[in-house]
């Protein structure tokens, strides 16, 4: 839905189900084997075994051994990489193989290894290991590019350095958080290597949190309970850039083949920018851990999709004081938009139509930005500047004095068109009254494994989402099991799972900025309704029902119940 057409696995061989899902969805895959090589990053990571010889008798089972001389042995890293490539070599989704990510050295050379005889180089370093691993891949699949990703080339290497030799040896190289200036230097210095962004942006945000829009980078707020980062694309770590910067850098460079944002979803671990209990989740995602889109989701959607869409930032038109000036952004893939507050027009604004140096047209304003401190020229100083000298924002902006009611945007294909192509609305909410429950599917298989995800919103008497609600929501289920609850909050010590002896017929989780998720699972062999009841103290109860049905031989669960 965000417009994604490519998926990077990270940083280990993925499950087969991931590859099959990408095949079904039409998403191409960069499949990645290792996070580091022989020099481990964590106490128990694969670096401990990367250079370990395989046990006696295993060498004969290696799928396509690398040619070797003088007693060369096969290592666990050879076997793992070749197993991955062999398993997925016939998948139409896989378009390139990655042999590593942000490697931190190569470890200690095995006693038997003579790199000069094996690989034609005297040194045992990242270059010699890249040679070995690429040979492992090519022995099984010579048809796809072999690449790796890393952060080592933010300062472009010389052609004769280790990383320069790797660039010239591999087919492509994935850059992690490189500046536009370094990308241009690399493209010039290594004309036979293709470059892309294996990790881009890493702008941190929390769903429904808005801070200090006037600041380029908000920094952190260590107040307990308030450790959530701004969704105005203005909170990022020292090594990262804003999402808009990454999109412009990618858009303006035809040889730069694309970007994998870090990350699609928030994930448990690497709690950035907060690394203090109870924060246990990263903030990098365009989607939170509960599967709820953040505002950045819609920025990417506006750049990567063609079906008319619009989205108002902030998603909250409740938690402001009367007369307070609110920066309202609109993300849209349409050229023109008009904003209304309580039915009164606040003006129509439009993007300019611009053209890249390779004749691609795009929408952008012509306002100054502050998203590239490396630009010291006299044009848009401190902000991103395209190779053609253009600059601007990828969203439209209004400064709106807050008044309770309804904020609505209508979009148009161009500045003169009267035809509305898309709309988005946010409303001022009253007090929490009840819950609105929406299941992601009406029917699941009665196999004891299939899941339904039920989005649960705290709403007022009129059915409007209460955007700052944090009530403790209690769930009960009949006909199935509750296997997980989540709200997407990074700063939380609440449980995701309740392993009750009664098969998890009860669970609870606080709402975060108005939303909470419950995941239900069918019982094996039990067909019929799975009914979930939810409430919070003082609320009217709510229900959602999905149906468990027996599947036929093809896995089809039949017609959706009315």
């Amino acid at each position: 839905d965000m417009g994604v057409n490519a998926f990077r696995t990270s940083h280990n061989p993925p499950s087969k189900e991931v590859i099959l899902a990408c095949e079904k969805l039409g998403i191409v895959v960069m499949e990645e084997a290792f996070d580091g090589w022989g020099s481990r990053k964590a106490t128990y990571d694969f670096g401990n075994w990367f250079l370990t010889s395989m046990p006696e008798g295993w060498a004969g089972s290696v799928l396509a051994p690398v040619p070797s001389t003088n007693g060369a042995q096969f290592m666990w890293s050879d076997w793992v990489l070749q197993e991955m490539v062999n398993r997925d070599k016939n998948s139409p989704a896989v378009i390139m193989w990655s042999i590593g990510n942000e490697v931190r050295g190569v470890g200690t050379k095995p006693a038997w290894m003579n790199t000069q005889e094996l690989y034609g180089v005297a040194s045992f370093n990242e270059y010699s290991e890249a040679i070995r691993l690429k040979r492992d891949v090519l022995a099984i699949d010579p048809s796809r590019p072999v690449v790796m990703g890393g952060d080592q080339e933010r300062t472009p290497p010389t052609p004769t350095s280790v990383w320069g030799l790797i660039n010239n040896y591999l087919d492509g190289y994935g850059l992690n958080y490189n500046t536009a200036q370094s990308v241009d230097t690399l493209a010039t210095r290594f004309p036979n290597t293709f470059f892309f962004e294996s990790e881009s942006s890493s702008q941190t945000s929390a769903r429904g949190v808005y801070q200090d829009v006037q600041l380029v980078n908000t920094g952190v707020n260590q107040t307990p309970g308030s450790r959530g980062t701004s969704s105005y694309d203005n909170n990022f770590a020292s090594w990262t850039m804003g999402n808009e910067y990454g999109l412009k850098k990618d858009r303006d460079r035809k040889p730069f083949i694309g970007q994998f944002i870090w990350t699609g979803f928030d994930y448990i671990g690497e709690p950035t920018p907060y690394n203090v209990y109870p924060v246990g989740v990263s903030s990098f995602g365009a989607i939170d851990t509960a599967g709820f889109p953040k505002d950045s989701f819609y920025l990417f959607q506006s750049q990567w999709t063609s079906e008319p869409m619009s989205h108002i930032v902030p998603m909250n038109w409740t938690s402001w004081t009367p007369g307070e000036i609110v920066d309202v952004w609109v993300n849209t893939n349409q050229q023109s938009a008009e904003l209304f507050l309580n039915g009164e027009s606040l003006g129509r604004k439009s993007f300019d139509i611009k053209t890249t140096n390779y004749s691609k047209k795009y929408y952008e304003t012509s306002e100054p930005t502050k998203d590239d401190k490396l630009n010291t020229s006299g044009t848009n100083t401190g902000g991103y500047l395209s190779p053609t000298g253009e600059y601007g924002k990828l969203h439209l902006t209004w400064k709106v004095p807050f008044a309770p009611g309804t904020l609505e945007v209508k979009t148009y294909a161009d500045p003169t068109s009267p035809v509305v192509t898309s709309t988005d609305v946010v409303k001022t909410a009253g007090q929490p009254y009840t819950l609105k429950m929406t299941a992601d599917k009406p029917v699941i298989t009665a196999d004891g494994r299939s899941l339904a995800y039920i989005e649960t919103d705290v709403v007022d008497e009129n059915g409007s989402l209460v955007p700052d609600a944090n009530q403790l929501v209690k769930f009960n289920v009949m006909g199935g099991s509750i296997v997980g609850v989540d709200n997407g909050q990074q700063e939380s010590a609440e449980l995701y799972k309740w392993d009750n002896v009664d098969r998890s017929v009860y669970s609870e989780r606080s709402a975060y900025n108005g939303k909470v998720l419950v995941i239900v699972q069918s019982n094996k062999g039990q067909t019929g309704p799975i009914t979930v009841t939810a409430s919070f103290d003082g609320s009217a109860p709510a229900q959602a029902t999905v149906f468990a049905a027996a599947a036929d031989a093809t896995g089809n669960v039949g017609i959706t119940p009315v």
Side-chain angles (χ1 to χ4, degrees):
D1 288 347
M2 196 169 76
V4 167
N5 67 352
F7 177 66
R8 173 206 182 192
T9 72
S10 57
H11 308 286
N12 50 269
S15 68
K16 184 64 175 179
E17 287 77 8
V18 168
I19 303 301
L20 294 174
C22 288
E23 290 178 3
K24 182 177 180 180
L25 294 168
I27 293 175
V28 297
V29 178
M30 169 179 139
E31 192 165 351
E32 187 167 271
F34 305 116
D35 186 22
W37 291 341
S39 180
R40 69 188 186 193
K41 296 180 180 179
T43 304
Y44 301 110
D45 76 16
F46 188 67
N48 291 300
W49 297 277
F50 189 84
L51 295 173
T52 302
S53 297
M54 298 173 65
E56 188 74 23
W58 276 70
S61 71
V62 174
L63 299 165
V66 174
S68 60
T69 59
N70 292 343
Q73 301 174 36
F74 297 107
M75 293 174 275
W76 278 112
S77 48
D78 297 314
W79 185 83
V80 166
L81 181 57
Q82 292 195 326
E83 283 286 301
M84 181 188 84
V85 174
N86 190 60
R87 186 194 69 180
D88 295 329
K89 65 186 179 184
N90 292 322
S91 171
V94 177
I95 60 169
M96 54 185 169
W97 308 107
S98 171
I99 58 176
N101 169 69
E102 295 188 358
V103 300
R104 298 290 186 257
V106 291
T108 302
K109 182 173 71 171
W112 57 265
M113 182 183 287
N114 185 320
T115 55
Q116 184 70 49
E117 292 182 357
L118 286 175
Y119 313 125
V121 293
S123 299
F124 177 63
N125 55 26
E126 291 91 345
Y127 178 47
S128 61
E129 284 297 87
I131 294 173
R132 175 173 70 88
L133 296 172
K134 182 177 178 180
R135 285 186 180 181
D136 280 338
V137 174
L138 296 181
I140 297 172
D141 176 23
S143 69
R144 293 177 177 88
V146 180
V147 304
M148 66 182 297
D151 55 356
Q152 291 88 350
E153 300 195 16
R154 295 178 195 171
T155 299
T158 63
T160 56
S161 68
V162 167
W163 291 103
L165 293 170
I166 287 174
N167 283 346
N168 281 322
Y169 179 71
L170 297 180
D171 302 293
Y173 191 88
L175 306 169
N176 292 0
Y177 318 112
N178 275 54
T179 65
Q181 293 84 353
S182 68
V183 170
D184 291 337
T185 300
L186 286 163
T188 301
R189 192 169 289 175
F190 301 98
N192 297 319
T193 306
F194 67 81
F195 291 96
F196 59 98
E197 194 100 39
S198 42
E199 293 181 22
S200 74
S201 297
S202 280
Q203 185 265 359
T204 49
S205 63
R207 176 178 50 81
V209 174
Y210 306 95
Q211 297 171 340
D212 301 321
V213 67
Q214 76 281 3
L215 297 180
V216 175
N217 193 349
T218 65
V220 298
N221 178 1
Q222 290 289 6
T223 305
S226 298
R227 296 186 181 102
T229 53
S230 176
S231 289
Y232 275 124
D233 200 15
N234 63 340
N235 187 282
F236 34 89
S238 60
W239 66 89
T240 63
M241 298 83 163
N243 290 319
E244 289 204 5
Y245 176 93
L247 285 162
K248 296 174 202 173
K249 176 179 64 178
D250 182 9
R251 175 199 68 201
D252 290 336
R253 291 160 175 81
K254 187 176 183 180
F256 196 56
I257 67 170
Q259 62 176 306
F260 296 101
I261 61 170
W262 188 269
T263 53
F265 284 77
D266 285 350
Y267 54 93
I268 298 172
E270 294 191 319
T272 306
Y274 300 100
N275 190 14
V276 57
Y277 181 85
V279 183
V281 174
S282 77
S283 302
F284 299 126
I287 303 168
D288 67 26
T289 55
F292 303 140
K294 304 182 193 179
D295 291 290
S296 57
F297 175 98
Y298 301 98
L299 168 64
F300 288 107
Q301 190 180 62
S302 73
Q303 303 301 302
W304 290 348
T305 66
S306 57
E307 184 72 21
M309 58 75 60
S310 54
H311 172 73
I312 294 173
V313 182
M315 294 188 277
N316 178 343
W317 198 245
T318 298
S319 305
W320 313 91
T321 59
E324 181 179 0
I325 302 300
V326 182
D327 274 64
V328 176
W329 295 3
V330 170
N331 295 127
T332 181
N333 54 12
Q334 303 296 284
Q335 189 187 358
S336 186
E338 187 172 10
L339 195 66
F340 298 84
L341 179 58
N342 296 326
E344 180 180 345
S345 175
L346 302 180
R348 186 161 168 171
K349 298 193 175 184
S350 302
F351 291 110
D352 295 329
I353 299 178
K354 301 181 180 180
T355 307
T356 66
N357 58 11
Y358 59 97
S359 302
K360 176 182 175 64
K361 294 188 181 300
Y362 62 93
Y363 294 148
E364 185 179 77
T365 73
S366 295
E367 303 165 273
T369 63
K370 289 294 180 184
D371 51 359
D372 186 0
K373 62 185 179 183
L374 295 182
N375 177 22
T376 58
S377 74
T379 304
N380 198 39
T381 308
Y384 176 83
L385 193 65
S386 79
T388 60
E390 296 287 352
Y391 58 88
K393 298 175 181 178
L394 302 182
H395 62 270
L396 299 171
T397 307
W398 288 258
K399 290 188 177 294
V400 182
F402 175 74
T406 299
L407 188 68
E408 181 180 17
V409 67
K410 298 179 181 180
T411 65
Y412 311 87
D414 60 62
T416 61
S417 174
V419 179
V420 175
T421 53
S422 73
T423 63
D424 189 32
V425 176
V426 290
K427 296 182 178 181
T428 303
Q431 294 301 307
Y433 175 72
T434 188
L435 297 160
K436 178 184 176 183
M437 305 180 74
T438 307
D440 70 324
K441 59 182 74 70
V443 181
I444 60 177
T445 307
D447 57 4
R449 298 175 62 246
S450 295
L451 306 174
Y453 293 72
I454 301 175
E455 181 177 339
T456 306
D457 294 349
V458 180
V459 297
D460 66 10
E461 285 190 276
N462 297 317
S464 297
L465 175 74
V466 182
D468 57 354
N470 61 358
Q471 277 71 15
L472 180 65
V473 180
K474 300 177 181 180
F475 297 99
N476 288 276
V477 65
M478 294 182 62
S481 304
I482 296 175
V483 294
V485 285
D486 193 6
N487 61 13
Q489 184 176 13
Q490 294 104 345
E491 185 185 13
S492 176
E494 292 183 282
L495 298 174
Y496 293 101
K497 292 177 67 71
W498 289 57
D499 295 322
N500 297 345
V501 293
D502 56 1
R503 279 293 290 156
S504 299
V505 296
Y506 169 83
S507 193
E508 61 184 36
R509 187 77 186 247
S510 298
Y512 177 59
N513 288 338
K515 288 182 175 288
V516 62
L517 176 78
V518 59
I519 307 170
V520 296
Q521 181 176 273
S522 63
N523 292 334
K524 188 172 184 178
Q526 181 178 348
T527 60
I530 301 173
T531 300
V532 182
T533 303
S535 64
F536 56 86
D537 286 350
S539 79
Q543 277 191 346
T545 299
V546 296
F547 289 83
D552 61 22
T554 64
N556 184 4
V557 291
I559 298 173
T560 301
V562 177

